[in-house]
Amino acid sequence: MAAKLKIVLGTSNSHKVHEINEIAREYNVEFILPDCGGFNPDENGSTFEENAEIKAKEASRVSKTGEYFMADDSGLCVDYLNGGPGIHSARYDTTPEKRIEKLLDALKDDKKRTAHFVCALCLCDKEGKVLHKEKGTVEGKISYSKKGLNGFGYDPVFLVEDKNKTMAELTEEEKNTLSHRGRALKCMLEWVKVNFKI
Ligand code: IMP
């Protein structure tokens, strides 16, 4: 089997690298952290797509090694909050627990609870030229209380559509088959497979 195609992932979060490599298991691709001191791009885009592109281009600029660079930007969009916290999901409050509390509080008194997760992906080359983009979503509802211990972020309060479970009650494998990130990444990897002939 040919050597794995290495793609630098524009993140400093090794959990994200692990999750993405799990999803990419059946492909001849390995995602690695950028080769630089720290990765702190200015995520000042106004959409998930813009932020994914900013991060992918920044990875190509700062990483000392690598031919291809990918980044994801993701978040939770709640209908009652007009799509919020959206691109601000990671900064909605200071800790994951406080973010969940703030969300449940915003929806108290049985507000409209429909929501979806979004993941935008951008792949570029070492000159920072965009090669391909993908987007994945998963629909659901915000629960009334936390349930489940798996996953991260808003998973304990996100009831997955057509499953009687929160995202945090799914196994890692179950989450990866239906999550916004899993869906976007599968499409990206199919594109890579065809275009890079791996
Ligand atoms: P990013 O790392 O800038 O893309 O920030 C994404 C933020 O959105 C995370 O910090 C989480 O709060 C939230 N988020 C994104 N994907 C997920 C997920 O799969 N489960 C739970 N929360 C998520």
Side-chain angles (χ1 to χ4, degrees), residues 147-175:
K147 247 184 171 183
L149 298 170
N150 300 332
F152 69 98
Y154 300 92
D155 282 346
V157 290
F158 186 85
L159 281 166
V160 183
E161 191 177 48
D162 298 333
K163 300 233 173 218
N164 206 6
K165 285 181 177 174
T166 67
M167 201 71 115
E169 292 180 289
L170 302 181
T171 64
E172 190 178 12
E173 209 177 338
E174 282 172 323
K175 177 179 173 182

Side-chain angles (χ1 to χ4, degrees), residues 16 55 73-75 89-90 117 152-155 175 180-181:
K16 206 176 240 182
K55 289 193 256 186
D73 195 57
S74 53
S89 293
F117 276 121
F152 69 98
Y154 300 92
D155 282 346
K175 177 179 173 182
H180 47 314
R181 195 167 297 101

Side-chain angles (χ1 to χ4, degrees), residues 45-109:
S46 55
T47 61
F48 293 109
E49 291 86 340
E50 281 176 20
N51 281 334
E53 186 171 332
I54 288 168
K55 289 193 256 186
K57 287 181 170 172
E58 179 69 359
S60 75
R61 199 180 67 78
V62 299
S63 182
K64 290 188 220 100
T65 54
E67 293 286 316
Y68 299 103
F69 302 83
M70 191 186 87
D72 87 322
D73 195 57
S74 53
L76 175 70
C77 301
V78 179
D79 292 338
Y80 178 73
L81 302 176
N82 298 318
I87 59 167
H88 307 293
S89 293
R91 288 154 278 162
Y92 189 48
D93 208 321
T94 47
T95 65
E97 292 73 24
K98 284 187 180 171
R99 290 193 269 281
I100 285 182
E101 265 173 47
K102 185 171 170 179
L103 177 64
L104 293 180
D105 200 50
L107 298 183
K108 74 168 188 271
D109 306 327

Side-chain angles (χ1 to χ4, degrees), residues 2-8 27-32 67-68 123 189 192-193 196 198:
K4 288 193 173 216
L5 174 75
K6 289 203 168 47
I7 300 180
V8 176
Y27 295 84
N28 205 19
V29 174
E30 184 185 355
F31 290 91
I32 54 172
E67 293 286 316
Y68 299 103
L123 179 74
L189 290 167
V192 166
K193 191 173 163 181
F196 294 0
I198 54 154

